[in-house]
Amino acid sequence: AAASAASGLDRQLALVLLPSHHLCNEVDAIRRDHDKAYATWPPHVRLAWPAPARLNSGSVRQDLATALEAVDAFDLSLSVGGRGGCGVGDGGDGDGGAGKARGRAMRKRGEGGGKQKDGRTYVKAIPAHDALSNIEEVMRAIRSVLPEVEDDPADTPYHMTLGQCGNRASAAEFEQGLQREEWAWSVTSVALLSQKNKGKFATLEVLPLAEGGGGDEARAADGSSAAESRNAPGSSQGARLGPSSN
């Protein structure tokens, strides 16, 4: 694994929320022509990347699975309109927190709209405010097992990237041309993704949340079921794996 000995993190591992199968297909139809990371990442909301290299251990994954089973499933709604600089994360090679800090400073001064150092503006779908507490609850469960997972310093740390544009005007035009302004689904699990041989990140393990959370509203919005959301594109396994021998 491409783990950093200094940080204990592995750039080939990620913890994410995956949209339902139906929504993944719809989002990928947008990303195919607009997102430079289309060939590397499935549609996702990033929770931790790079992720701790300790997740290569089956026993650590089992501890994480146990912690997440105490968190209720929940409905998640993402809406378009969140644009901001995104450093390393969705397949990019930016300058991390420094670039994000510059982007925040620029926005406070009224300069630009979150451009990366290469001049691109990211178009994102970001969570409704009331969903952030649910995501933070998931993050607390993750940190109870993996305390080395740090907060993302970005203005919109939880988001689903739809694409990049050359400037704010073209980003606004891109957003206006979208057929859908909101994506909603019932989050029933956290996915551990793994990248092999510089290919596309695929699901290594599905870590279910507690049943009983979430409702029918989000599922009705995209025509999906809770079971379908565990079998999204980019998955190499349709069900949770047992502990490995690692």
Side-chain angles (χ1 to χ4, degrees):
S4 165
S7 66
L9 301 178
D10 190 337
R11 294 177 64 86
Q12 293 179 328
L13 293 175
L15 290 168
V16 304
L17 304 179
L18 294 177
S20 64
H21 180 85
H22 174 82
L23 289 182
C24 275
N25 290 338
E26 185 175 324
V27 172
D28 263 343
I30 299 170
R31 296 177 62 236
R32 186 176 294 111
D33 296 326
H34 297 281
D35 187 2
K36 64 183 179 62
Y38 170 77
T40 307
W41 292 88
H44 67 281
V45 175
R46 174 167 51 94
L47 302 177
W49 181 85
R54 294 195 292 131
L55 284 167
N56 285 302
S57 164
S59 62
V60 173
R61 295 205 298 271
Q62 183 57 54
D63 289 344
L64 180 58
T66 300
L68 289 170
E69 285 172 351
V71 179
D72 285 339
F74 60 94
D75 291 335
L76 178 61
S77 175
L78 305 178
S79 57
V80 177
R83 296 203 301 270
C86 186
V88 294
D90 296 337
D93 295 313
D95 52 355
K100 295 168 187 173
R102 284 198 297 273
R104 288 195 298 273
M106 289 176 64
R107 285 190 287 281
K108 289 178 180 178
R109 295 194 302 266
E111 302 173 9
K115 294 180 180 179
Q116 216 178 354
K117 63 180 181 180
D118 58 7
R120 286 179 291 199
T121 298
Y122 280 68
V123 177
K124 306 171 181 178
I126 60 177
H129 181 74
D130 57 3
L132 292 177
S133 60
N134 297 113
I135 298 176
E136 287 297 343
E137 186 176 0
V138 171
M139 293 304 299
R140 284 192 291 272
I142 290 173
R143 292 190 181 104
S144 72
V145 178
L146 303 166
E148 62 268 43
V149 172
E150 298 180 352
D151 288 329
D152 191 318
D155 283 347
T156 55
Y158 308 118
H159 63 269
M160 180 170 64
T161 298
L162 299 176
Q164 302 84 29
C165 299
N167 53 56
R168 296 180 68 186
S170 59
E173 183 177 353
F174 174 21
E175 290 180 9
Q176 292 170 2
L178 293 173
Q179 297 299 310
R180 182 197 289 263
E181 295 182 353
E182 185 177 34
W183 287 265
W185 71 94
S186 184
V187 176
T188 60
S189 63
V190 171
L192 172 62
L193 305 186
S194 175
Q195 183 186 41
K196 303 295 184 184
N197 301 319
K198 298 184 179 180
K200 191 166 189 172
F201 277 84
T203 303
L204 177 64
E205 187 160 351
V206 174
L207 306 167
L209 303 181
E211 296 182 4
D216 295 331
E217 182 178 351
R219 291 191 288 274
D222 73 346
S224 70
S225 66
E228 184 185 34
S229 70
R230 299 187 188 185
N231 194 26
S235 172
S236 60
Q237 300 289 339
R240 177 177 157 188
L241 304 178
S244 76
S245 59
N246 293 25

